[in-house]
Amino acid sequence: MEAIENLKTRRSIRKFKSDMIPKETIEKIIEAGTYAPTGMNLQSPVIIAVTNKEIRDRLSVLNASVFGLGNDPFYGAPVVLVVLAEKSAPTYLYDGSLVMGNLMNAAHAYGISSCWIHRAKEEFESEEGKEILKKLGIEGEYEGIGNCILGYADCEEPATAPRKSNYVYWIE
């Protein structure tokens, strides 16, 4: 898919089939995430690839508990790519956000649907979230930036909304 067309046609999906994505495809999507620009090339973000259903479901419950919800905030997606970034980097929030963008755009290029789910910050500030990081050997002051959910859409892609008229201002 042409790069610009890919950027223009990617949409957030909120209903997924339970079918697992092939590991090779997930690895390619993750690789694209690792090539996102980062401030001073510090590469402050890390990506946790969750394909284990039990852990995925634990993260879903943890995420939902932030607002006291009982539904699945991951909309049934079988894969969650959690992006965190080292807070000592002055651009960590932007770095992690760019990783999230690369993940979603790469997923679309491979025919995989995605959505950015917030509350990763709160998930990994919790004791359970900190324990997950500890078990993975992730040390330091990391902040959750976002959960990039991936899967095969179980719905029609939403139509592209028109762009607002005052999106761009020129100084010539």
Side-chain angles (χ1 to χ4, degrees), residues 56-71:
R56 177 253 182 246
D57 290 348
R58 279 180 52 204
L59 287 178
S60 173
V61 169
L62 191 57
N63 187 290
S65 71
V66 173
F67 282 134
L69 303 173
N71 61 335

Side-chain angles (χ1 to χ4, degrees), residues 25-149:
T25 304
I26 298 169
E27 288 171 339
K28 290 175 183 175
I29 293 166
I30 291 169
E31 181 180 27
T34 68
Y35 279 90
T38 60
M40 298 173 282
N41 198 29
L42 291 176
Q43 300 179 34
S44 67
V46 296
I47 302 167
I48 301 172
V50 182
T51 57
N52 174 289
K53 183 166 175 24
E54 181 183 328
I55 302 300
R56 177 253 182 246
D57 290 348
R58 279 180 52 204
L59 287 178
S60 173
V61 169
L62 191 57
N63 187 290
S65 71
V66 173
F67 282 134
L69 303 173
N71 61 335
D72 175 17
F74 298 153
Y75 302 102
V79 178
V80 179
L81 303 179
V82 183
V83 176
L84 303 103
E86 175 62 57
K87 292 186 344 184
S88 65
T91 56
Y92 79 94
L93 184 59
Y94 313 109
D95 297 346
S97 296
L98 286 165
V99 169
M100 288 289 293
N102 270 25
L103 293 172
M104 292 184 293
N105 286 315
H108 184 53
Y110 285 107
I112 304 298
S113 297
S114 68
C115 189
W116 180 326
I117 304 299
H118 286 287
R119 298 176 296 280
K121 179 182 188 297
E122 294 85 353
E123 283 175 60
F124 289 91
E125 286 176 343
S126 73
E127 289 309 312
E128 187 172 357
K130 289 176 185 176
E131 186 61 32
I132 291 169
L133 296 180
K134 185 177 178 181
K135 284 182 181 177
L136 289 170
I138 299 173
E139 298 178 3
E141 290 294 316
Y142 281 87
E143 182 171 301
I145 305 300
N147 298 286
C148 180
I149 58 172

